[in-house]
Amino acid sequence: MSINKWNQIVKALKAQLSSAQFDAWVHPVHARYHNDKLHVIVPSRFFLDGLKQDCGELLTQLVYQQYGESTEIIYQIDASLVHQAEAPPKQDAALIKNTVDGNIDPRFTFKNFVVGSSNAFCFAASQAVAEKPGECYNPLYIHGGVGLGKTHLIHAIANELIIHSPLKIAYRTGERFTNELITAIRKGTTDQFRRKYRRVDVLIIDDVQFIAGKTSTQEEFFHTFNALHEIRKQIILVSDRSPRDMSHLEERLRSRFNWGLVADIQPPDLETRLAILEAKAELAGIQLDKEVSYLLASRIVNNVRELEGALTRLTAFAHLTNQSIDIHMAKNILRDQLHVNVRSISVDDIQKKIAEYYGINPKDMRSNKRSRNIAFPRQVAMYASKELTQLSLPEIGSQFGGKDHTTILYAVRKINTMCENDKNFDDEVSRIISSIRN
Ligand code: ADP
Ligand code: MG
């Protein structure tokens, strides 16, 4: 019943939004209705902002229409939805049916993967496995943070194998593997479940951390692992952490995960982020000028998916409004996302760090003491507050014990001039600022 209502809402959104907006924001959403509360679940903060900004009001109206005005809408973030945020795969159905069990996204290829120092090792290992499955690294265990290309790489292996080999591939998330097993146990079909997995040539389990702590799943997986490994079938595992850091993982599984190659993937450096943006822009058929690329790549540092999302959002906006993407548009459209870092720094943090740096009491940041050993660090802190926050001069003044905005302005100008005239001091201030930023 409530699912139907949600489907109605999705339909209405589809009718009223552009397809770019719909694909970008509505497609990744899941919803759950319970006790007058509608939980709207999205994969990340980025999607939440996008959804609210582009269709928040419309969504609220539709929810009231369908579920009644007393409904409370609760937005939630669930990172495990992350790869469902991708569009559904389109592939040659016949080919897939013969060789693949599970959804492999044809867009995730080695060719589309940008290699930099942070991911070169995983990339090379994945290529080696795609070339000689079952022979070199078994299992291949890839781990790393969210949105760094782990799923991309294992789909790339699968895509390569689909083209160049007749091997039977099974791709599962840890969650789906677990759910299938639970169903099999309930229906008394565990034998069938077992046979199915032991017939494959390549078993790929994404987000394998999901099975840690689930006793019967681990047990079953252990036996499947052994059966396949014994006859040199390739096993590929992906997790958000290393085997060592996976608490609640059975010891015998942990040791098996370490049998082959454990490779970790790190957040990309600035050059790689720029290269990724360039590649994605090219794929999307859009021009991105250097300033805009740099803005995105320098602000969105830990998650390639978010970088990609920012680009999608800019592209959608540019198409909708028929404008080209320039730096002002980018700053405006992505303001929430780009300021995440900046916003999360408070004047209080700045005062504490700078007081510590100069060895003064943080309370003196708010005092009126005029001695140079206190007044000077305070001025540096005022300057840093202007640099690192979005606050106005009067707002900053109020956080320095109610100083006038002209006092802040004076400090900002003074430190600026000093930086211009003294290279060493300039370096020192840059160091302080970047240490606060990180
Ligand atoms: P993870 O599984 O590590 O959370 P994904 O593999 O789903 O991350 O990657 C998130 C998004 O970022 C995908 O759209 C993927 O194509 C893209 N991506 C990540 N790293 C790269 C890279 N090095 N080159 C190109 N695209 C990348
Ligand atoms: Mg993933």
PDB file of all heavy atoms in Angstrom, residues 66-101:
ATOM      1  N   GLN A  66      -0.079  12.320  -1.008  1.00  0.00           N
ATOM      2  CA  GLN A  66      -0.223  10.868  -0.979  1.00  0.00           C
ATOM      3  C   GLN A  66      -0.468  10.328   0.428  1.00  0.00           C
ATOM      4  O   GLN A  66      -1.292   9.449   0.625  1.00  0.00           O
ATOM      5  CB  GLN A  66       1.030  10.191  -1.554  1.00  0.00           C
ATOM      6  CG  GLN A  66       1.205  10.361  -3.039  1.00  0.00           C
ATOM      7  CD  GLN A  66       0.156   9.589  -3.838  1.00  0.00           C
ATOM      8  OE1 GLN A  66      -0.374   8.583  -3.383  1.00  0.00           O
ATOM      9  NE2 GLN A  66      -0.163  10.084  -5.015  1.00  0.00           N
ATOM     10  N   TYR A  67       0.311  10.826   1.381  1.00  0.00           N
ATOM     11  CA  TYR A  67       0.263  10.215   2.705  1.00  0.00           C
ATOM     12  C   TYR A  67      -0.502  11.061   3.730  1.00  0.00           C
ATOM     13  O   TYR A  67      -0.695  10.633   4.850  1.00  0.00           O
ATOM     14  CB  TYR A  67       1.678  10.006   3.247  1.00  0.00           C
ATOM     15  CG  TYR A  67       2.513   8.994   2.498  1.00  0.00           C
ATOM     16  CD1 TYR A  67       3.348   9.391   1.467  1.00  0.00           C
ATOM     17  CD2 TYR A  67       2.497   7.642   2.850  1.00  0.00           C
ATOM     18  CE1 TYR A  67       4.143   8.473   0.784  1.00  0.00           C
ATOM     19  CE2 TYR A  67       3.288   6.714   2.184  1.00  0.00           C
ATOM     20  CZ  TYR A  67       4.104   7.136   1.147  1.00  0.00           C
ATOM     21  OH  TYR A  67       4.899   6.228   0.490  1.00  0.00           O
ATOM     22  N   GLY A  68      -0.874  12.276   3.339  1.00  0.00           N
ATOM     23  CA  GLY A  68      -1.574  13.143   4.279  1.00  0.00           C
ATOM     24  C   GLY A  68      -0.612  14.132   4.917  1.00  0.00           C
ATOM     25  O   GLY A  68       0.581  13.877   5.018  1.00  0.00           O
ATOM     26  N   GLU A  69      -1.186  15.269   5.348  1.00  0.00           N
ATOM     27  CA  GLU A  69      -0.330  16.378   5.777  1.00  0.00           C
ATOM     28  C   GLU A  69       0.313  16.172   7.141  1.00  0.00           C
ATOM     29  O   GLU A  69       1.191  16.924   7.539  1.00  0.00           O
ATOM     30  CB  GLU A  69      -1.115  17.694   5.743  1.00  0.00           C
ATOM     31  CG  GLU A  69      -1.612  18.000   4.348  1.00  0.00           C
ATOM     32  CD  GLU A  69      -1.661  19.490   4.032  1.00  0.00           C
ATOM     33  OE1 GLU A  69      -1.533  20.281   4.981  1.00  0.00           O
ATOM     34  OE2 GLU A  69      -1.813  19.825   2.851  1.00  0.00           O
ATOM     35  N   SER A  70      -0.149  15.153   7.854  1.00  0.00           N
ATOM     36  CA  SER A  70       0.462  14.939   9.170  1.00  0.00           C
ATOM     37  C   SER A  70       1.749  14.120   9.048  1.00  0.00           C
ATOM     38  O   SER A  70       2.418  13.854  10.038  1.00  0.00           O
ATOM     39  CB  SER A  70      -0.523  14.219  10.084  1.00  0.00           C
ATOM     40  OG  SER A  70      -0.859  12.980   9.486  1.00  0.00           O
ATOM     41  N   THR A  71       2.080  13.752   7.807  1.00  0.00           N
ATOM     42  CA  THR A  71       3.263  12.908   7.624  1.00  0.00           C
ATOM     43  C   THR A  71       4.543  13.687   7.923  1.00  0.00           C
ATOM     44  O   THR A  71       4.699  14.830   7.499  1.00  0.00           O
ATOM     45  CB  THR A  71       3.342  12.426   6.163  1.00  0.00           C
ATOM     46  OG1 THR A  71       2.095  11.871   5.822  1.00  0.00           O
ATOM     47  CG2 THR A  71       4.445  11.404   5.984  1.00  0.00           C
ATOM     48  N   GLU A  72       5.402  13.039   8.669  1.00  0.00           N
ATOM     49  CA  GLU A  72       6.691  13.661   8.930  1.00  0.00           C
ATOM     50  C   GLU A  72       7.713  13.076   7.947  1.00  0.00           C
ATOM     51  O   GLU A  72       7.806  11.856   7.790  1.00  0.00           O
ATOM     52  CB  GLU A  72       7.117  13.332  10.362  1.00  0.00           C
ATOM     53  CG  GLU A  72       8.349  14.070  10.800  1.00  0.00           C
ATOM     54  CD  GLU A  72       8.778  13.638  12.215  1.00  0.00           C
ATOM     55  OE1 GLU A  72       8.002  12.938  12.892  1.00  0.00           O
ATOM     56  OE2 GLU A  72       9.893  13.984  12.597  1.00  0.00           O
ATOM     57  N   ILE A  73       8.429  13.964   7.268  1.00  0.00           N
ATOM     58  CA  ILE A  73       9.422  13.472   6.305  1.00  0.00           C
ATOM     59  C   ILE A  73      10.785  13.459   6.988  1.00  0.00           C
ATOM     60  O   ILE A  73      11.243  14.486   7.485  1.00  0.00           O
ATOM     61  CB  ILE A  73       9.483  14.372   5.059  1.00  0.00           C
ATOM     62  CG1 ILE A  73       8.084  14.492   4.441  1.00  0.00           C
ATOM     63  CG2 ILE A  73      10.472  13.826   4.037  1.00  0.00           C
ATOM     64  CD1 ILE A  73       8.024  15.408   3.242  1.00  0.00           C
ATOM     65  N   ILE A  74      11.401  12.298   7.017  1.00  0.00           N
ATOM     66  CA  ILE A  74      12.705  12.201   7.673  1.00  0.00           C
ATOM     67  C   ILE A  74      13.753  11.821   6.625  1.00  0.00           C
ATOM     68  O   ILE A  74      13.666  10.764   6.010  1.00  0.00           O
ATOM     69  CB  ILE A  74      12.671  11.141   8.787  1.00  0.00           C
ATOM     70  CG1 ILE A  74      11.614  11.539   9.817  1.00  0.00           C
ATOM     71  CG2 ILE A  74      14.034  10.990   9.437  1.00  0.00           C
ATOM     72  CD1 ILE A  74      11.275  10.458  10.801  1.00  0.00           C
ATOM     73  N   TYR A  75      14.703  12.732   6.423  1.00  0.00           N
ATOM     74  CA  TYR A  75      15.759  12.431   5.457  1.00  0.00           C
ATOM     75  C   TYR A  75      16.874  11.668   6.161  1.00  0.00           C
ATOM     76  O   TYR A  75      17.284  12.031   7.262  1.00  0.00           O
ATOM     77  CB  TYR A  75      16.319  13.722   4.864  1.00  0.00           C
ATOM     78  CG  TYR A  75      15.365  14.378   3.906  1.00  0.00           C
ATOM     79  CD1 TYR A  75      14.540  15.427   4.315  1.00  0.00           C
ATOM     80  CD2 TYR A  75      15.273  13.951   2.586  1.00  0.00           C
ATOM     81  CE1 TYR A  75      13.644  16.023   3.433  1.00  0.00           C
ATOM     82  CE2 TYR A  75      14.393  14.544   1.701  1.00  0.00           C
ATOM     83  CZ  TYR A  75      13.582  15.581   2.129  1.00  0.00           C
ATOM     84  OH  TYR A  75      12.719  16.171   1.256  1.00  0.00           O
ATOM     85  N   GLN A  76      17.348  10.616   5.507  1.00  0.00           N
ATOM     86  CA  GLN A  76      18.407   9.809   6.114  1.00  0.00           C
ATOM     87  C   GLN A  76      19.485   9.510   5.090  1.00  0.00           C
ATOM     88  O   GLN A  76      19.189   9.379   3.905  1.00  0.00           O
ATOM     89  CB  GLN A  76      17.851   8.456   6.558  1.00  0.00           C
ATOM     90  CG  GLN A  76      17.148   8.510   7.887  1.00  0.00           C
ATOM     91  CD  GLN A  76      16.525   7.170   8.218  1.00  0.00           C
ATOM     92  OE1 GLN A  76      16.174   6.398   7.346  1.00  0.00           O
ATOM     93  NE2 GLN A  76      16.401   6.900   9.478  1.00  0.00           N
ATOM     94  N   ILE A  77      20.693   9.351   5.584  1.00  0.00           N
ATOM     95  CA  ILE A  77      21.790   8.976   4.685  1.00  0.00           C
ATOM     96  C   ILE A  77      22.194   7.539   4.974  1.00  0.00           C
ATOM     97  O   ILE A  77      22.361   7.163   6.125  1.00  0.00           O
ATOM     98  CB  ILE A  77      22.986   9.916   4.896  1.00  0.00           C
ATOM     99  CG1 ILE A  77      22.595  11.319   4.428  1.00  0.00           C
ATOM    100  CG2 ILE A  77      24.209   9.418   4.125  1.00  0.00           C
ATOM    101  CD1 ILE A  77      23.587  12.375   4.735  1.00  0.00           C
ATOM    102  N   ASP A  78      22.277   6.755   3.931  1.00  0.00           N
ATOM    103  CA  ASP A  78      22.719   5.372   4.111  1.00  0.00           C
ATOM    104  C   ASP A  78      23.771   5.071   3.041  1.00  0.00           C
ATOM    105  O   ASP A  78      23.452   4.886   1.873  1.00  0.00           O
ATOM    106  CB  ASP A  78      21.521   4.424   3.969  1.00  0.00           C
ATOM    107  CG  ASP A  78      21.955   2.966   4.093  1.00  0.00           C
ATOM    108  OD1 ASP A  78      23.179   2.715   4.188  1.00  0.00           O
ATOM    109  OD2 ASP A  78      21.078   2.092   4.086  1.00  0.00           O
ATOM    110  N   ALA A  79      25.021   5.061   3.481  1.00  0.00           N
ATOM    111  CA  ALA A  79      26.131   4.909   2.521  1.00  0.00           C
ATOM    112  C   ALA A  79      26.079   3.570   1.778  1.00  0.00           C
ATOM    113  O   ALA A  79      26.647   3.435   0.706  1.00  0.00           O
ATOM    114  CB  ALA A  79      27.466   5.055   3.234  1.00  0.00           C
ATOM    115  N   SER A  80      25.367   2.596   2.334  1.00  0.00           N
ATOM    116  CA  SER A  80      25.355   1.304   1.643  1.00  0.00           C
ATOM    117  C   SER A  80      24.526   1.359   0.361  1.00  0.00           C
ATOM    118  O   SER A  80      24.548   0.443  -0.450  1.00  0.00           O
ATOM    119  CB  SER A  80      24.825   0.204   2.563  1.00  0.00           C
ATOM    120  OG  SER A  80      23.446   0.372   2.749  1.00  0.00           O
ATOM    121  N   LEU A  81      23.785   2.449   0.179  1.00  0.00           N
ATOM    122  CA  LEU A  81      23.026   2.586  -1.071  1.00  0.00           C
ATOM    123  C   LEU A  81      23.923   3.067  -2.199  1.00  0.00           C
ATOM    124  O   LEU A  81      23.492   3.200  -3.327  1.00  0.00           O
ATOM    125  CB  LEU A  81      21.911   3.633  -0.911  1.00  0.00           C
ATOM    126  CG  LEU A  81      20.792   3.286   0.049  1.00  0.00           C
ATOM    127  CD1 LEU A  81      19.811   4.438   0.099  1.00  0.00           C
ATOM    128  CD2 LEU A  81      20.105   2.022  -0.405  1.00  0.00           C
ATOM    129  N   VAL A  82      25.166   3.347  -1.839  1.00  0.00           N
ATOM    130  CA  VAL A  82      26.036   4.068  -2.746  1.00  0.00           C
ATOM    131  C   VAL A  82      26.070   3.534  -4.177  1.00  0.00           C
ATOM    132  O   VAL A  82      25.851   4.259  -5.110  1.00  0.00           O
ATOM    133  CB  VAL A  82      27.450   4.172  -2.144  1.00  0.00           C
ATOM    134  CG1 VAL A  82      28.512   4.132  -3.176  1.00  0.00           C
ATOM    135  CG2 VAL A  82      27.565   5.455  -1.345  1.00  0.00           C
ATOM    136  N   HIS A  83      26.282   2.231  -4.350  1.00  0.00           N
ATOM    137  CA  HIS A  83      26.394   1.885  -5.776  1.00  0.00           C
ATOM    138  C   HIS A  83      25.057   1.703  -6.453  1.00  0.00           C
ATOM    139  O   HIS A  83      25.003   1.578  -7.643  1.00  0.00           O
ATOM    140  CB  HIS A  83      27.321   0.712  -6.043  1.00  0.00           C
ATOM    141  CG  HIS A  83      27.241  -0.323  -5.015  1.00  0.00           C
ATOM    142  ND1 HIS A  83      28.245  -0.494  -4.120  1.00  0.00           N
ATOM    143  CD2 HIS A  83      26.272  -1.176  -4.704  1.00  0.00           C
ATOM    144  CE1 HIS A  83      27.884  -1.446  -3.297  1.00  0.00           C
ATOM    145  NE2 HIS A  83      26.712  -1.869  -3.621  1.00  0.00           N
ATOM    146  N   GLN A  84      23.976   1.745  -5.676  1.00  0.00           N
ATOM    147  CA  GLN A  84      22.695   1.715  -6.359  1.00  0.00           C
ATOM    148  C   GLN A  84      22.369   3.067  -6.963  1.00  0.00           C
ATOM    149  O   GLN A  84      21.392   3.223  -7.678  1.00  0.00           O
ATOM    150  CB  GLN A  84      21.598   1.314  -5.382  1.00  0.00           C
ATOM    151  CG  GLN A  84      21.809  -0.095  -4.899  1.00  0.00           C
ATOM    152  CD  GLN A  84      20.962  -0.400  -3.693  1.00  0.00           C
ATOM    153  OE1 GLN A  84      19.949   0.238  -3.472  1.00  0.00           O
ATOM    154  NE2 GLN A  84      21.386  -1.368  -2.916  1.00  0.00           N
ATOM    155  N   ALA A  85      23.188   4.065  -6.618  1.00  0.00           N
ATOM    156  CA  ALA A  85      22.954   5.391  -7.181  1.00  0.00           C
ATOM    157  C   ALA A  85      23.297   5.439  -8.668  1.00  0.00           C
ATOM    158  O   ALA A  85      22.990   6.388  -9.349  1.00  0.00           O
ATOM    159  CB  ALA A  85      23.777   6.424  -6.428  1.00  0.00           C
ATOM    160  N   GLU A  86      23.920   4.424  -9.143  1.00  0.00           N
ATOM    161  CA  GLU A  86      24.239   4.387 -10.564  1.00  0.00           C
ATOM    162  C   GLU A  86      22.999   4.021 -11.373  1.00  0.00           C
ATOM    163  O   GLU A  86      22.110   3.339 -10.902  1.00  0.00           O
ATOM    164  CB  GLU A  86      25.309   3.319 -10.815  1.00  0.00           C
ATOM    165  CG  GLU A  86      26.584   3.555 -10.056  1.00  0.00           C
ATOM    166  CD  GLU A  86      27.218   4.876 -10.425  1.00  0.00           C
ATOM    167  OE1 GLU A  86      27.076   5.291 -11.578  1.00  0.00           O
ATOM    168  OE2 GLU A  86      27.827   5.500  -9.556  1.00  0.00           O
ATOM    169  N   ALA A  87      22.999   4.436 -12.617  1.00  0.00           N
ATOM    170  CA  ALA A  87      21.898   4.063 -13.486  1.00  0.00           C
ATOM    171  C   ALA A  87      21.946   2.546 -13.719  1.00  0.00           C
ATOM    172  O   ALA A  87      23.006   1.940 -13.630  1.00  0.00           O
ATOM    173  CB  ALA A  87      22.037   4.782 -14.816  1.00  0.00           C
ATOM    174  N   PRO A  88      20.795   1.914 -13.988  1.00  0.00           N
ATOM    175  CA  PRO A  88      20.803   0.469 -14.199  1.00  0.00           C
ATOM    176  C   PRO A  88      21.627   0.106 -15.431  1.00  0.00           C
ATOM    177  O   PRO A  88      21.643   0.843 -16.406  1.00  0.00           O
ATOM    178  CB  PRO A  88      19.331   0.131 -14.420  1.00  0.00           C
ATOM    179  CG  PRO A  88      18.668   1.412 -14.748  1.00  0.00           C
ATOM    180  CD  PRO A  88      19.478   2.505 -14.155  1.00  0.00           C
ATOM    181  N   PRO A  89      22.336  -1.010 -15.370  1.00  0.00           N
ATOM    182  CA  PRO A  89      23.217  -1.356 -16.473  1.00  0.00           C
ATOM    183  C   PRO A  89      22.460  -1.710 -17.742  1.00  0.00           C
ATOM    184  O   PRO A  89      21.388  -2.293 -17.693  1.00  0.00           O
ATOM    185  CB  PRO A  89      23.953  -2.588 -15.951  1.00  0.00           C
ATOM    186  CG  PRO A  89      23.112  -3.122 -14.859  1.00  0.00           C
ATOM    187  CD  PRO A  89      22.366  -1.976 -14.287  1.00  0.00           C
ATOM    188  N   LYS A  90      23.047  -1.316 -18.863  1.00  0.00           N
ATOM    189  CA  LYS A  90      22.480  -1.721 -20.146  1.00  0.00           C
ATOM    190  C   LYS A  90      23.545  -2.567 -20.829  1.00  0.00           C
ATOM    191  O   LYS A  90      24.657  -2.127 -21.018  1.00  0.00           O
ATOM    192  CB  LYS A  90      22.209  -0.487 -21.018  1.00  0.00           C
ATOM    193  CG  LYS A  90      21.249   0.483 -20.411  1.00  0.00           C
ATOM    194  CD  LYS A  90      21.030   1.649 -21.368  1.00  0.00           C
ATOM    195  CE  LYS A  90      20.475   2.850 -20.659  1.00  0.00           C
ATOM    196  NZ  LYS A  90      21.487   3.618 -19.948  1.00  0.00           N
ATOM    197  N   GLN A  91      23.239  -3.779 -21.153  1.00  0.00           N
ATOM    198  CA  GLN A  91      24.241  -4.644 -21.750  1.00  0.00           C
ATOM    199  C   GLN A  91      23.570  -5.594 -22.706  1.00  0.00           C
ATOM    200  O   GLN A  91      22.360  -5.756 -22.693  1.00  0.00           O
ATOM    201  CB  GLN A  91      24.953  -5.445 -20.667  1.00  0.00           C
ATOM    202  CG  GLN A  91      26.313  -4.923 -20.366  1.00  0.00           C
ATOM    203  CD  GLN A  91      26.910  -5.608 -19.146  1.00  0.00           C
ATOM    204  OE1 GLN A  91      26.204  -6.114 -18.290  1.00  0.00           O
ATOM    205  NE2 GLN A  91      28.203  -5.611 -19.082  1.00  0.00           N
ATOM    206  N   ASP A  92      24.391  -6.242 -23.479  1.00  0.00           N
ATOM    207  CA  ASP A  92      23.869  -7.246 -24.365  1.00  0.00           C
ATOM    208  C   ASP A  92      23.306  -8.405 -23.547  1.00  0.00           C
ATOM    209  O   ASP A  92      24.035  -9.203 -22.963  1.00  0.00           O
ATOM    210  CB  ASP A  92      25.013  -7.725 -25.264  1.00  0.00           C
ATOM    211  CG  ASP A  92      24.538  -8.766 -26.252  1.00  0.00           C
ATOM    212  OD1 ASP A  92      23.479  -9.368 -25.989  1.00  0.00           O
ATOM    213  OD2 ASP A  92      25.214  -8.966 -27.260  1.00  0.00           O
ATOM    214  N   ALA A  93      21.993  -8.492 -23.501  1.00  0.00           N
ATOM    215  CA  ALA A  93      21.337  -9.406 -22.565  1.00  0.00           C
ATOM    216  C   ALA A  93      21.744 -10.861 -22.794  1.00  0.00           C
ATOM    217  O   ALA A  93      21.970 -11.602 -21.843  1.00  0.00           O
ATOM    218  CB  ALA A  93      19.833  -9.259 -22.664  1.00  0.00           C
ATOM    219  N   ALA A  94      21.861 -11.259 -24.059  1.00  0.00           N
ATOM    220  CA  ALA A  94      22.164 -12.658 -24.347  1.00  0.00           C
ATOM    221  C   ALA A  94      23.534 -13.045 -23.800  1.00  0.00           C
ATOM    222  O   ALA A  94      23.701 -14.064 -23.144  1.00  0.00           O
ATOM    223  CB  ALA A  94      22.118 -12.895 -25.847  1.00  0.00           C
ATOM    224  N   LEU A  95      24.481 -12.164 -24.059  1.00  0.00           N
ATOM    225  CA  LEU A  95      25.848 -12.415 -23.609  1.00  0.00           C
ATOM    226  C   LEU A  95      25.892 -12.568 -22.086  1.00  0.00           C
ATOM    227  O   LEU A  95      26.489 -13.490 -21.543  1.00  0.00           O
ATOM    228  CB  LEU A  95      26.725 -11.245 -24.052  1.00  0.00           C
ATOM    229  CG  LEU A  95      28.216 -11.342 -23.763  1.00  0.00           C
ATOM    230  CD1 LEU A  95      28.809 -12.446 -24.616  1.00  0.00           C
ATOM    231  CD2 LEU A  95      28.896 -10.014 -24.075  1.00  0.00           C
ATOM    232  N   ILE A  96      25.246 -11.644 -21.442  1.00  0.00           N
ATOM    233  CA  ILE A  96      25.284 -11.626 -19.988  1.00  0.00           C
ATOM    234  C   ILE A  96      24.641 -12.889 -19.419  1.00  0.00           C
ATOM    235  O   ILE A  96      25.127 -13.479 -18.473  1.00  0.00           O
ATOM    236  CB  ILE A  96      24.508 -10.407 -19.457  1.00  0.00           C
ATOM    237  CG1 ILE A  96      25.120  -9.142 -20.008  1.00  0.00           C
ATOM    238  CG2 ILE A  96      24.522 -10.372 -17.952  1.00  0.00           C
ATOM    239  CD1 ILE A  96      26.546  -8.981 -19.732  1.00  0.00           C
ATOM    240  N   LYS A  97      23.529 -13.267 -20.034  1.00  0.00           N
ATOM    241  CA  LYS A  97      22.790 -14.406 -19.511  1.00  0.00           C
ATOM    242  C   LYS A  97      23.669 -15.662 -19.468  1.00  0.00           C
ATOM    243  O   LYS A  97      23.623 -16.436 -18.535  1.00  0.00           O
ATOM    244  CB  LYS A  97      21.577 -14.667 -20.398  1.00  0.00           C
ATOM    245  CG  LYS A  97      20.364 -15.070 -19.597  1.00  0.00           C
ATOM    246  CD  LYS A  97      19.137 -14.934 -20.431  1.00  0.00           C
ATOM    247  CE  LYS A  97      18.357 -16.224 -20.424  1.00  0.00           C
ATOM    248  NZ  LYS A  97      17.442 -16.288 -21.561  1.00  0.00           N
ATOM    249  N   ASN A  98      24.483 -15.807 -20.486  1.00  0.00           N
ATOM    250  CA  ASN A  98      25.316 -16.997 -20.534  1.00  0.00           C
ATOM    251  C   ASN A  98      26.432 -17.011 -19.514  1.00  0.00           C
ATOM    252  O   ASN A  98      26.818 -18.053 -19.023  1.00  0.00           O
ATOM    253  CB  ASN A  98      25.946 -17.132 -21.924  1.00  0.00           C
ATOM    254  CG  ASN A  98      24.911 -17.626 -22.888  1.00  0.00           C
ATOM    255  OD1 ASN A  98      23.982 -18.301 -22.476  1.00  0.00           O
ATOM    256  ND2 ASN A  98      25.053 -17.265 -24.146  1.00  0.00           N
ATOM    257  N   THR A  99      26.995 -15.858 -19.260  1.00  0.00           N
ATOM    258  CA  THR A  99      28.225 -15.892 -18.490  1.00  0.00           C
ATOM    259  C   THR A  99      28.138 -15.214 -17.129  1.00  0.00           C
ATOM    260  O   THR A  99      28.958 -15.482 -16.269  1.00  0.00           O
ATOM    261  CB  THR A  99      29.365 -15.214 -19.275  1.00  0.00           C
ATOM    262  OG1 THR A  99      28.956 -13.892 -19.573  1.00  0.00           O
ATOM    263  CG2 THR A  99      29.687 -15.957 -20.543  1.00  0.00           C
ATOM    264  N   VAL A 100      27.177 -14.331 -16.943  1.00  0.00           N
ATOM    265  CA  VAL A 100      27.194 -13.565 -15.708  1.00  0.00           C
ATOM    266  C   VAL A 100      25.916 -13.729 -14.903  1.00  0.00           C
ATOM    267  O   VAL A 100      24.828 -13.639 -15.436  1.00  0.00           O
ATOM    268  CB  VAL A 100      27.378 -12.059 -15.991  1.00  0.00           C
ATOM    269  CG1 VAL A 100      27.431 -11.288 -14.692  1.00  0.00           C
ATOM    270  CG2 VAL A 100      28.626 -11.824 -16.777  1.00  0.00           C
ATOM    271  N   ASP A 101      26.113 -13.935 -13.623  1.00  0.00           N
ATOM    272  CA  ASP A 101      24.991 -13.950 -12.719  1.00  0.00           C
ATOM    273  C   ASP A 101      25.187 -12.752 -11.786  1.00  0.00           C
ATOM    274  O   ASP A 101      26.094 -12.753 -10.955  1.00  0.00           O
ATOM    275  CB  ASP A 101      25.032 -15.285 -11.960  1.00  0.00           C
ATOM    276  CG  ASP A 101      23.917 -15.378 -10.948  1.00  0.00           C
ATOM    277  OD1 ASP A 101      23.010 -14.527 -10.995  1.00  0.00           O
ATOM    278  OD2 ASP A 101      23.965 -16.301 -10.124  1.00  0.00           O
TER     279      ASP A 101
END
